[in-house]
Amino acid sequence: MDLSGKIAEFNKIIKDYDNIVFFGGAGVSTESGIPDFRSVDGLYHQQYDYPPETILSHTFYRSHTNEFFRFYRNKMLFLNAKPNSAHKKLAELEARGKLKAVITQNIDGLHQAAGSKTVLELHGSVLRNYCENCGAFYDVSYIKDGDGIPKCPKCGGGIKPDVVLYEEGLNSKILNDAVKYISEAQVLIIGGTSLAVYPAAGLIDYFNGEKLVVINKSSTPRDSFSDLLIQMPIGEVFDAIQI
């Protein structure tokens, strides 16, 4: 099937089904100017004193907190990024009652910025930050505009971004909700993810619906199981569909 045929088939699936769930990763936001980790231009291919995976670990956060925040401010906060066609079309699908949930590995908040309401953030969000001592909330500007290790002015405790670092477990309620949405879905759209990060990628195993759609520039472990495979940037795919 050629590309136009695949887009037509994708349109038909969206038209025919009313219980669709989207599972996405970094590739959804690269077209908004946020780099991913594993692409040629991603963070894994840039040079730092430590590998990004080390810096973004719980152990490093505890033992090298100042260096953690230096990297975090420089490389993890993209506050001028705007939702792209994928974010916007997904929000529109939800508004029309077709899409039941967005399950995302991203931490940028762009799905909500586009208007999506039911967003399950598996790895948290840079937009939320909490004092580890008293629990006080601080928005992202408090982190972005500060220097060194952010401290709570109320109690002096350290402020931690509400993101899941390597070595940390995922939120059990969000995981359970994700399992419920995926297991009950008629259609699961996997988009912009290499499905290399676990346990998040393992959620796909709970899908028992009718149509599995995979949209990603590179190959994934689920390509051979898909009913529709489109290997191109996800924003371009959603830009081409009619809702």
Side-chain angles (χ1 to χ4, degrees), residues 198-218:
Y198 282 81
L203 291 170
I204 306 306
D205 292 335
Y206 291 95
F207 178 65
N208 293 299
E210 298 178 38
K211 296 288 184 180
L212 178 64
V213 179
V214 177
I215 306 169
N216 199 51
K217 290 195 295 184
S218 58

Side-chain angles (χ1 to χ4, degrees), residues 87-128:
H87 298 107
K88 294 173 183 177
K89 287 285 178 71
L90 288 167
E92 189 176 342
L93 283 172
E94 182 186 34
R96 296 194 177 198
K98 286 188 165 289
L99 186 78
K100 302 308 178 186
V102 168
I103 302 168
T104 181
Q105 299 172 83
N106 295 341
I107 57 176
D108 50 48
L110 290 181
H111 285 292
Q112 292 94 326
S116 289
K117 306 299 183 187
T118 304
V119 182
L120 280 62
E121 296 173 313
L122 295 173
H123 297 150
S125 172
V126 299
L127 303 182
R128 299 185 299 268

Side-chain angles (χ1 to χ4, degrees), residues 16-241:
D16 290 348
Y17 292 93
D18 293 318
N19 186 348
I20 302 170
V21 169
F22 179 80
F23 181 94
V28 178
S29 292
T30 52
E31 289 165 82
S32 294
I34 299 178
D36 68 2
F37 272 55
R38 291 173 174 79
S39 70
V40 173
D41 299 317
L43 289 176
Y44 280 124
H45 296 270
Q46 300 179 28
Q47 297 299 314
Y48 301 100
D49 291 339
Y50 302 90
E53 207 165 45
T54 298
I55 298 174
L56 296 174
S57 70
H58 180 83
T59 298
F60 194 91
Y61 170 74
R62 292 296 181 202
S63 61
H64 298 76
T65 311
N66 197 68
E67 181 70 8
F68 169 89
F69 276 106
R70 189 172 73 86
F71 176 89
Y72 184 83
R73 289 187 178 98
N74 289 338
K75 298 298 181 183
M76 302 302 292
L77 301 179
F78 297 87
L79 305 186
N80 294 322
K82 304 296 182 186
N84 60 52
S85 295
H87 298 107
K88 294 173 183 177
K89 287 285 178 71
L90 288 167
E92 189 176 342
L93 283 172
E94 182 186 34
R96 296 194 177 198
K98 286 188 165 289
L99 186 78
K100 302 308 178 186
V102 168
I103 302 168
T104 181
Q105 299 172 83
N106 295 341
I107 57 176
D108 50 48
L110 290 181
H111 285 292
Q112 292 94 326
S116 289
K117 306 299 183 187
T118 304
V119 182
L120 280 62
E121 296 173 313
L122 295 173
H123 297 150
S125 172
V126 299
L127 303 182
R128 299 185 299 268
N129 305 272
Y130 297 95
C131 173
E132 294 192 272
N133 185 43
C134 73
F137 170 83
Y138 294 91
D139 66 19
V140 66
S141 63
Y142 189 85
I143 305 297
K144 179 70 172 177
D145 298 337
D147 293 312
I149 301 171
K151 296 292 185 181
C152 175
K154 298 177 181 178
C155 74
I159 298 171
K160 182 180 182 294
D162 187 19
V163 299
V164 179
L165 302 176
Y166 290 103
E167 304 169 347
E168 294 180 342
L170 303 190
N171 180 284
S172 59
K173 183 184 186 306
I174 292 174
L175 271 178
N176 289 335
D177 288 347
V179 168
K180 182 177 187 296
Y181 278 113
I182 290 173
S183 63
E184 294 177 354
Q186 295 172 300
V187 176
L188 178 62
I189 303 170
I190 299 172
T193 173
S194 60
L195 295 176
V197 177
Y198 282 81
L203 291 170
I204 306 306
D205 292 335
Y206 291 95
F207 178 65
N208 293 299
E210 298 178 38
K211 296 288 184 180
L212 178 64
V213 179
V214 177
I215 306 169
N216 199 51
K217 290 195 295 184
S218 58
S219 61
T220 81
R222 302 289 173 155
D223 290 357
S224 61
F225 299 96
S226 66
D227 297 288
L228 179 62
L229 173 64
I230 306 177
Q231 291 185 308
M232 63 181 289
I234 190 168
E236 293 180 20
V237 174
F238 274 95
D239 203 32
I241 66 170

